[in-house]
Amino acid sequence: MSLLLDVLEKNALITAFVVVALVLWFSNLLAKKLFAGKIHGSAIALVVGLTLAYVGGLFTGGDKGLADITMFSGLGILGGAMFRDFAIVATAYGAELDALKRAGWIGSLSVLVGVVLSFFIGALVAIVAGFEDAVSVTTIGAGTATFIVGPVTGSALGADSSVIALSIAAGLVKSIVVMIGTPLVAKRIGLNDARSAMVFGGLMGTNSGVAAGLAATDPKLVPYGAMTATFYTGVGCLIVPSLLYFLVSLVL
Amino acid sequence: MIIYGVGLLAGCMLIGVYAGDLVGLLFGIDANVGGVGIAMLILMVVSNYGPLKVSIKPITAEGITFWNAMYIPIVIAMAAKQNVFAAISSGWLAICAGFLAVALSFLMIPILVRFSDKTDEKV
């Protein structure tokens, strides 16, 4: 038994291939038999993955979900930013440049609207929760945009580390809600073509949330949503610690 | 050869990410601005348009389409390494902020799409 574990640990990335294949196989089976094809197999797999991540965090106390268990550490490599971005770029092969051009302006606008909207919601919730200083409120608003903008803003403004942790948590919640929520509401909000996918990516901005949410809705939409989402964090890091912090400090 | 496709894809990604870092540097921020998006544009242009176009044989294309097909499995692995435990146990402030931000952003999608419809008609 320990010899087998040893093999799984030494070949962590290969083990991850097997684990993901099993999760997808099981989820596709559930989708077909239990949900009669009404729910996407990849949407179920996503929920299975997130549940496993919760269990991993519960047992190890680490911050990388199931990947903190040595045997499953390959999931951290396979599911890390490097492979994620590599696969996202690959989805662009076969995407239509014309569709991107046509919806380019509304996609860019949606990035701005998305950053500002998420920021102010996070900032308002922070104020309701009793935060009164501009630095903390701005940092929590920044984290609500994405969990990268949060710490970048927090450290630039000199926020307390507990506030930065809170801002990261808000961003995490956002990205998980996008992952699970997108396939559920896609029809009702008209998320079904290149243009709406670009608006979606721009408004949500969380790379992992957008990547997973679109994968579970319609993989054909992935390149369009990913395209705008990839500008979100940069725009956030640009305007949150400067312009939006200035606005918040005027009010508070 | 399949590796030509993989190499082309990898080259596009590196150039794009480098360009994204340069844009970040230009604005004086410690973040990559649109690197992956720039990489996607480069790949689309190189495989489709104009004088830069390289002819991609079917076997070369397989090096790209394989990674395209690996997208969903990678996303599942990504889900399994999220810090879900921290997100759920972070208290109501983070959960409210994250949830409300997503809910209102969802509502904005049809509004922005309709807005672009109206504007396109005028042009």
Side-chain angles (χ1 to χ4, degrees):
Chain A
M1 193 59 195
S2 76
L3 188 70
L4 177 66
L5 278 180
D6 208 36
V7 170
L8 294 179
E9 284 176 11
K10 271 189 187 145
N11 301 286
L13 182 58
I14 311 299
T15 309
F17 287 142
V18 177
V19 172
V20 172
L22 286 175
V23 168
L24 269 166
W25 172 78
F26 172 72
S27 307
N28 281 325
L29 196 74
L30 273 188
K32 213 164 115 189
K33 302 271 183 213
L34 199 63
F35 298 105
K38 282 205 183 86
I39 300 180
H40 235 282
S42 32
I44 299 172
L46 213 53
V47 174
V48 173
L50 290 170
T51 312
L52 291 174
Y54 177 83
V55 174
L58 187 67
F59 283 113
T60 65
D63 59 4
K64 289 197 287 291
L66 195 64
D68 275 324
I69 299 172
T70 317
M71 198 177 104
F72 298 117
S73 60
L75 290 170
I77 306 170
L78 185 62
M82 182 172 67
F83 274 126
R84 182 198 64 198
D85 291 347
F86 193 51
I88 288 178
V89 176
T91 65
Y93 186 72
E96 284 176 58
L97 199 57
D98 286 339
L100 282 175
K101 269 193 217 151
R102 268 199 307 274
W105 71 272
I106 190 73
S108 319
L109 179 68
S110 65
V111 174
L112 266 181
V113 174
V115 171
V116 173
L117 183 68
S118 287
F119 174 81
F120 279 113
I121 291 167
L124 276 179
V125 172
I127 291 171
V128 170
F131 285 94
E132 281 167 346
D133 62 301
V135 170
S136 301
V137 169
T138 305
T139 303
I140 292 169
T144 310
T146 73
F147 52 75
I148 298 172
V149 184
V152 166
T153 305
S155 41
L157 301 179
D160 193 71
S161 70
S162 66
V163 173
I164 293 181
L166 208 53
S167 81
I168 296 174
L172 272 178
V173 171
K174 180 184 179 190
S175 100
I176 292 168
V177 174
V178 173
M179 288 183 196
I180 301 175
T182 304
L184 298 177
V185 301
K187 254 190 206 141
R188 238 166 286 169
I189 55 173
L191 178 58
N192 55 15
D193 60 2
R195 185 177 55 172
S196 54
M198 284 179 78
V199 171
F200 165 78
L203 282 172
M204 297 305 174
T206 144
N207 280 324
S208 33
V210 167
L214 287 178
T217 306
D218 181 357
K220 279 201 289 295
L221 301 179
V222 169
Y224 307 104
M227 177 67 80
T228 43
T230 163
F231 287 93
Y232 187 100
T233 294
V235 170
C237 291
L238 190 63
I239 66 171
V240 171
S242 51
L243 181 67
L244 296 182
Y245 171 63
F246 176 70
L247 289 179
V248 169
S249 59
L250 282 184
V251 178
L252 290 177
Chain B
M1 293 226 302
I2 285 184
I3 186 65
Y4 294 162
V6 181
L8 176 68
L9 177 60
C12 289
M13 170 155 158
L14 292 177
I15 296 170
V17 172
Y18 181 61
D21 274 341
L22 285 181
V23 175
L25 208 63
L26 205 67
F27 284 106
I29 50 174
D30 185 22
N32 186 290
V33 183
V36 174
I38 299 168
M40 291 166 82
L41 284 175
I42 297 172
L43 179 66
M44 287 163 84
V45 169
V46 164
S47 61
N48 278 311
Y49 294 88
L52 289 171
K53 181 173 171 161
V54 285
S55 70
I56 295 177
K57 295 199 177 104
I59 185 77
T60 304
E62 268 178 53
I64 303 172
T65 50
F66 171 78
W67 286 103
N68 189 334
M70 281 300 283
Y71 176 73
I72 287 177
I74 285 172
V75 162
I76 304 303
M78 179 191 81
K81 63 153 274 199
Q82 298 295 308
N83 197 357
V84 181
F85 186 73
I88 290 181
S89 45
S90 60
W92 68 270
L93 188 157
I95 292 177
C96 272
F99 190 85
L100 284 175
V102 177
L104 287 175
S105 299
F106 274 142
L107 290 177
M108 278 304 287
I109 294 175
I111 297 173
L112 280 178
V113 167
R114 230 169 291 152
F115 174 67
S116 90
D117 267 342
K118 276 192 191 143
T119 321
D120 285 344
E121 270 169 28
K122 278 183 203 153
V123 175

